[in-house]
Amino acid sequence: MKSFFHLYHQTSTQLGRELEESEVTLLKWMYERYTVEEISRRKLSKKYILR
C-alpha cells in the first residue's frame, strides 16, 4: 500500500466524490492496522530467516 494520501485519493476517485468524515476515519484506521500488521509480518519474517 502506498501512502494514506494515495489511498484517500484513489478511494475518492473511484467513488466519484469526496469522502465523508466517517469514511475518512475508517480509512485511517484501516491504513494504520495495515501498517502495524505489515511491520509485525516483516519482523517475524526476519526472525525466521535468522534461525
Side-chain angles (χ1 to χ4, degrees):
M1 197 177 286
K2 306 267 183 190
S3 67
F4 176 75
F5 176 75
H6 181 264
L7 182 61
Y8 174 87
H9 179 70
Q10 184 179 13
T11 303
S12 63
T13 300
Q14 287 178 349
L15 291 173
R17 61 175 173 80
E18 290 296 315
L19 300 179
E20 297 176 8
E21 187 175 338
S22 61
E23 293 169 323
V24 174
T25 302
L26 176 63
L27 204 57
K28 283 180 182 178
W29 178 84
M30 289 172 50
Y31 184 77
E32 288 172 7
R33 284 297 302 161
Y34 172 82
T35 303
V36 167
E37 289 179 16
E38 189 63 26
I39 290 169
S40 295
R41 192 173 300 124
R42 288 180 186 169
K43 285 181 180 179
L44 275 176
S45 180
K46 285 181 181 180
K47 181 179 177 181
Y48 288 113
I49 290 173
L50 293 174
R51 285 186 173 188

